[in-house]
Amino acid sequence: MENSKNYKYLLNDISVLKRVGKKTKDLLKKKKIKNLFDVLWNLPHSYTDRTLEKKVNELEIGKICTVNLRVIKYNFPRIRNLPNKVVCEDDTGKLDIIFFNSREGYIRKILPLNQNVLISGKINYFKNRYQITNPTYLSLESQENNIKKILPNYSLTEGLSEKVYRNIIDQILQNLPKIDEWHLEETIKKNKFDKWNESIIKLHDPKNLDKTNANFYKRLVFDEILSNFILLSEIRKKIKKIKKKPKVFSNIKSIDIINSLKFELTKNQNKIIKEIDFDLKSKNKMFRLLQGDVGSGKTIIALICALNVIDSNYQVSVMAPTEILATQHYKLAKNLFRKLNIKIELLTGKIDRKKRKEILTNLKDQKIDILFGTHAIFQKNVLFKKLGLIIIDEQHKFGVKQRMSLSQKGGADCDILLMSATPIPRTLMMSVYGDMDISRLTEKPSNRKNVLTYSKPESKIEEIIRFIKKEIKLDNQVFWICPLINESKKIDHESAIKKHEFLEKVFPKKVGLIHGGLSKEDKENVLKLFLEKKFLILVSTTVIEVGIDIPNANIIIIENSNKFGLSQLHQLRGRVGRSNKQGVCILMYKKNLSQNARKRINILKSTNDGFVIADDDMKLRGYGDILGFKQSGIKDFKLADPVLHSKLFLLAEKEINKIEQLDINFNRYMPLLKLYDLADIINEIN
């Protein structure tokens, strides 16, 4: 196909290439390859060196070798299913070439009698003679450049041969368009980046397999990071252009509420309340993320700001991921605003039709000021008369597109506040939340003590039981976390069910059980009973990870803690220490800990800071596995890695700031966004 001389060539369907039919196209789809650009990111994992020619007596069994041989004899058996054999030799010995399912005429054509040929393939040994079965490459001696190459090896789906795939890659590389540079000249020179075409060609050169620190590689990593940052920057600009009626309030009521609290807000909390109030009073739509560590006091900030919105004659909706968390927030608001004339309602799936109908009617008539619920509060028939603020708790399941649709809920005058208890390392913040203003809550309330964290081998379980007995006598409650629902022979864990049976014998009628196999209703019922102290110990899998607030539960035992990631352990630990009582976390482990598991446990014992833990977790496990990241809307990068390329992430952050300050024409970067399949998102926004 003729090269179109611009980036659009790379957006062509894979079927435009020669010898790519429906079968090959379907096989490539399994590798998520649809267009020519996709092909470029399926990189070689190793290479085969066919440049070194060997004599027959130098061959090594099992190795891929290239040999120069003379064809001396054919052996075409007349019995079906037997292979064809061609005997070849050089001055040191003989070698058999074996063909299965090949026609006699084809073999005579590619291996002419008494001609010298170059043959490359894997060496086997059979009946005292070297042989190559179905050779990968062969050609006449006069065409040695066709065979004597260093060839890349790719990870391919079954049915797709290396030869076919290399042909596809070669066609694209030979037709690479000369793309106009999208980066600023100063950026290219300062960082010594190669040109885009040169970088792609070097990327697929098998000799460059390990050169991830080379300038060509860094340039392509930077391209990918910057494309993501530009997308989020454009979304942020679009949101900032949305004009709204400023909220008008005096702060008198919110100050009274703050003064009535049994604890003093931290400087950090007061600063964030001012940031949010400033957004609410501005003419620009607020689109802010309140990111705080577990137990840092995000909810109180959100409710104080909600009060200011209600004071300016608007309604507020608060969405939580589960009914129990929505109910928790609802009860906190009822208690906090008990002396004020604020109408508060809770909308969940358990509410009967009559009550639901009443809530929906009152909502439309603005007889409800603040509505709590799960995602059901965004259903089409739930209509607010004057919605001024949407608060979404634990929003880590919302990606960029979902956040954009949220920003349109309630119309132009509705502000958005998202909350997340999943700390994210700095290198990832711009990639995940670059479309939003961010408030980071790092201080914990003054009445909260750091959770004391200990590690114990499982052989010390009797010691742990004695400790729990003592704590229960002091009216404290306990979480006991197990990783599995049922016994597994493959993984050496105790299951939650078995542990519940064990603890029930020690603490009769005091132990509850919750796991992922229960229905949503049953889970919430068990948690309700635990909250009401009907159970003193709750055996659970990780379903209690985020958001559950049971202040009287201040002990958590985590079995097989070495099997969990750091961030997940930190989230689990955050279920305790949520009152003025001392929280305790005991990390149980089996003997023979791996070095990595030992590191994770020691890091958790040394700090309660979720942001430090998130950084360490990413360094130990890579960003893809960290709790919440996959649900955060973060895309899988093709080359970029926030651990290996942290400096390039920070460089891209500076670059995006420069692009915004200089107000550089967005069209300059359109090819980059088109190639990375991001332009459609911007078109949707427009």
Side-chain angles (χ1 to χ4, degrees):
M1 175 188 170
E2 191 182 336
N3 186 344
S4 62
K5 298 297 179 194
N6 66 41
Y7 72 91
K8 290 179 183 174
Y9 164 76
L10 295 167
L11 299 176
N12 277 308
D13 188 274
I14 196 75
S15 59
V16 301
L17 297 175
K18 291 172 185 172
R19 296 192 291 282
V20 176
K22 187 180 182 305
K23 185 185 173 186
T24 303
K25 187 178 172 179
D26 290 343
L27 289 168
L28 289 167
K29 263 188 187 173
K30 290 182 183 177
K31 295 289 292 179
K32 296 183 180 176
I33 293 170
K34 294 178 183 176
N35 62 28
L36 307 190
F37 189 69
D38 292 338
V39 176
L40 298 177
W41 307 110
N42 187 37
L43 302 179
H45 58 76
S46 61
Y47 64 86
T48 302
D49 189 349
R50 300 188 189 276
T51 60
L52 298 173
E53 192 180 305
K54 294 204 170 193
K55 294 284 189 182
V56 170
N57 66 351
E58 298 171 332
L59 295 176
E60 296 175 64
I61 298 165
K63 295 280 179 75
I64 289 172
C65 298
T66 300
V67 278
N68 189 333
L69 301 165
R70 188 170 183 80
V71 181
I72 60 170
K73 185 182 175 185
Y74 298 131
N75 186 350
F76 299 126
R78 298 303 166 204
I79 301 168
R80 248 186 177 186
N81 298 327
L82 284 179
N84 294 316
K85 182 165 75 173
V86 181
V87 182
C88 303
E89 68 174 5
D90 67 8
D91 56 1
T92 68
K94 290 181 179 176
L95 180 145
D96 294 336
I97 310 297
I98 308 298
F99 290 94
F100 286 92
N101 306 317
S102 290
R103 293 175 183 275
E104 184 180 323
Y106 168 74
I107 292 171
R108 288 181 184 278
K109 183 180 176 183
I110 60 168
L111 292 173
L113 210 55
N114 300 318
Q115 291 279 332
N116 269 56
V117 289
L118 280 167
I119 300 174
S120 187
K122 192 174 181 180
I123 305 299
N124 298 311
Y125 199 73
F126 183 70
K127 288 188 177 179
N128 298 321
R129 201 135 84 191
Y130 289 112
Q131 66 176 27
I132 296 175
T133 303
N134 291 337
T136 321
Y137 288 90
L138 46 82
S139 69
L140 295 174
E141 187 181 30
S142 58
Q143 300 167 331
E144 66 176 82
N145 288 339
N146 293 342
I147 190 170
K148 296 182 91 174
K149 294 177 179 177
I150 296 174
L151 296 167
N153 300 319
Y154 295 90
S155 168
L156 301 173
T157 191
E158 192 179 344
L160 191 62
S161 73
E162 290 269 5
K163 205 166 183 177
V164 167
Y165 192 76
R166 286 193 193 113
N167 174 263
I168 289 167
I169 284 275
D170 287 345
Q171 284 186 66
I172 298 170
L173 293 180
Q174 284 163 20
N175 282 287
L176 273 184
K178 287 187 174 132
I179 296 174
D180 289 337
E181 185 57 74
W182 41 70
H183 293 306
L184 301 172
E185 194 176 337
E186 179 193 351
T187 304
I188 294 284
K189 281 183 180 175
K190 192 174 178 181
N191 296 286
K192 297 178 181 174
F193 287 151
D194 290 12
K195 288 182 179 169
W196 186 84
N197 299 59
E198 292 167 10
S199 299
I200 291 291
I201 288 163
K202 286 178 182 175
L203 186 69
H204 284 271
D205 186 335
K207 290 179 285 188
N208 292 329
L209 271 183
D210 301 320
K211 294 184 181 174
T212 54
N213 281 322
N215 290 338
F216 77 86
Y217 197 93
K218 286 181 180 175
R219 186 250 150 82
L220 294 171
V221 169
F222 187 69
D223 277 353
E224 186 172 25
I225 301 167
L226 190 68
S227 68
N228 202 42
F229 284 16
I230 288 168
L231 167 70
L232 295 168
S233 168
E234 283 302 303
I235 295 172
R236 191 166 63 244
K237 278 191 236 169
K238 301 286 180 196
I239 292 165
K240 293 292 181 192
K241 283 178 184 174
I242 300 172
K243 296 301 174 188
K244 70 164 206 269
K245 288 177 188 171
K247 310 287 190 298
V248 180
F249 51 89
S250 66
N251 287 97
I252 292 170
K253 288 180 183 174
S254 60
I255 289 167
D256 285 345
I257 291 291
I258 290 167
N259 290 336
S260 72
L261 295 172
K262 293 176 184 176
F263 54 89
E264 200 174 320
L265 293 184
T266 63
K267 286 179 185 175
N268 200 187
Q269 283 175 311
N270 282 313
K271 176 177 171 283
I272 290 169
I273 289 169
K274 283 177 185 173
E275 285 175 353
I276 295 170
D277 282 353
F278 179 83
D279 285 353
L280 295 173
K281 288 178 175 179
S282 81
K283 290 180 181 178
N284 296 318
K285 190 181 179 87
M286 176 174 79
F287 198 40
R288 183 172 288 277
L289 170 73
L290 171 53
Q291 191 193 23
D293 205 350
V294 284
S296 57
K298 297 181 295 298
T299 312
I300 200 77
I301 291 174
L303 291 178
I304 287 164
C305 295
L307 176 59
N308 288 334
V309 171
I310 294 163
D311 202 28
S312 60
N313 196 32
Y314 280 92
Q315 294 168 290
V316 176
S317 110
V318 180
M319 190 191 97
T322 63
E323 285 186 10
I324 195 158
L325 197 52
T327 307
Q328 205 170 273
H329 291 337
Y330 165 73
K331 286 179 178 175
L332 176 62
K334 289 281 275 188
N335 183 47
L336 195 65
F337 303 144
R338 64 189 179 280
K339 293 179 182 177
L340 300 173
N341 184 28
I342 290 176
K343 301 164 206 84
I344 305 170
E345 278 293 355
L346 175 68
L347 186 63
T348 71
K350 288 180 183 171
I351 287 171
D352 61 50
R353 285 178 69 183
K354 187 182 175 185
K355 177 67 176 172
R356 181 182 169 84
K357 191 177 178 183
E358 181 193 321
I359 288 173
L360 295 182
T361 303
N362 288 340
L363 207 57
K364 277 194 279 190
D365 296 339
Q366 206 173 343
K367 290 178 182 174
I368 293 171
D369 296 309
I370 180 166
L371 180 69
F372 292 86
T374 57
H375 64 279
I377 63 178
F378 286 136
Q379 288 174 351
K380 284 181 181 178
N381 64 341
V382 181
L383 301 170
F384 294 78
K385 184 177 181 181
K386 200 177 177 186
L387 185 57
L389 175 65
I390 293 171
I391 298 169
I392 296 180
D393 193 12
E394 291 310 332
Q395 67 79 54
H396 56 276
K397 291 182 182 174
F398 286 86
V400 172
K401 287 185 181 179
Q402 291 94 325
R403 294 205 293 264
M404 279 309 301
S405 64
L406 276 176
S407 74
Q408 291 153 9
K409 293 276 182 188
D413 294 334
C414 183
D415 291 301
I416 310 286
L417 178 67
L418 306 181
M419 299 196 293
S420 174
T422 307
I424 291 182
R426 177 158 161 65
T427 49
L428 275 179
M429 282 303 292
M430 283 289 286
S431 299
V432 182
Y433 299 120
D435 53 329
M436 306 174 69
D437 293 314
I438 296 166
S439 295
R440 290 182 90 182
L441 189 52
T442 51
E443 273 183 276
K444 286 194 179 173
S446 53
N447 65 327
R448 295 270 172 95
K449 297 172 183 173
N450 276 337
V451 177
L452 299 175
T453 305
Y454 304 99
S455 59
K456 293 279 179 187
E458 63 171 19
S459 57
K460 297 277 180 78
I461 191 165
E462 290 304 321
E463 192 180 306
I464 293 167
I465 295 293
R466 285 197 298 273
F467 171 71
I468 290 173
K469 283 179 178 175
K470 187 181 78 175
E471 289 298 319
I472 284 175
K473 280 181 184 173
L474 296 170
D475 194 36
N476 293 324
Q477 287 174 277
V478 180
F479 284 113
W480 191 300
I481 309 301
C482 302
L484 289 178
I485 295 172
N486 294 307
E487 201 68 79
S488 167
K489 290 177 183 175
K490 290 182 182 177
I491 308 172
D492 188 21
H493 295 172
E494 288 281 339
S495 71
I497 291 170
K498 193 173 176 184
K499 187 56 64 181
H500 175 259
E501 289 168 2
F502 168 78
L503 290 170
E504 185 65 35
K505 287 173 188 171
V506 184
F507 304 95
K509 297 183 180 177
K510 291 180 182 176
V511 189
L513 173 65
I514 186 171
H515 55 66
L518 297 179
S519 69
K520 192 176 177 182
E521 199 170 59
D522 287 343
K523 279 182 208 166
E524 300 210 347
N525 188 45
V526 173
L527 283 166
K528 185 171 174 284
L529 292 171
F530 188 53
L531 187 61
E532 292 167 356
K533 295 189 183 180
K534 299 288 187 338
F535 301 128
L536 296 178
I537 300 169
L538 181 62
V539 177
S540 172
T541 54
T542 57
V543 291
I544 59 99
E545 216 167 84
V546 174
I548 302 304
D549 191 6
I550 300 179
N552 197 56
N554 59 337
I555 312 294
I556 187 163
I557 316 291
I558 305 174
E559 281 197 29
N560 296 286
S561 57
N562 49 300
K563 302 291 181 185
F564 293 95
L566 255 178
S567 292
Q568 196 173 27
L569 285 171
H570 179 62
Q571 292 285 344
L572 288 166
R573 178 171 65 177
R575 297 310 98 223
V576 300
R578 300 176 80 85
S579 65
N580 54 3
K581 286 183 176 182
Q582 179 63 63
V584 175
C585 172
I586 298 175
L587 304 172
M588 290 177 69
Y589 61 88
K590 291 188 183 290
K591 58 184 179 181
N592 303 323
L593 277 182
S594 70
Q595 195 177 352
N596 246 3
R598 200 176 296 277
K599 272 185 193 171
R600 287 201 299 275
I601 288 172
N602 287 337
I603 288 166
L604 210 72
K605 284 162 73 175
S606 69
T607 181
N608 273 261
D609 188 327
F611 294 97
V612 171
I613 285 166
D615 272 324
D616 286 336
D617 202 10
M618 190 168 75
K619 285 168 191 168
L620 285 173
R621 295 198 297 154
Y623 77 94
D625 293 325
I626 298 179
L627 177 72
F629 284 12
K630 293 237 167 171
Q631 298 97 327
S632 295
I634 186 168
K635 67 195 192 72
D636 289 328
F637 289 114
K638 298 174 191 298
L639 291 185
D641 184 303
V643 180
L644 300 174
H645 306 121
S646 58
K647 287 180 182 174
L648 290 172
F649 274 82
L650 298 176
L651 176 64
E653 189 177 9
K654 285 180 186 172
E655 189 76 359
I656 203 70
N657 290 336
K658 191 196 297 180
I659 290 166
E660 289 175 352
Q661 285 163 14
L662 297 175
D663 198 21
I664 293 165
N665 191 324
F666 170 71
N667 288 333
R668 178 188 186 108
Y669 299 98
M670 189 52 85
L672 180 64
L673 292 165
K674 288 260 189 189
L675 289 174
Y676 283 97
D677 202 21
L678 300 174
D680 287 346
I681 300 174
I682 290 175
N683 289 336
E684 281 178 39
I685 297 159
N686 292 333

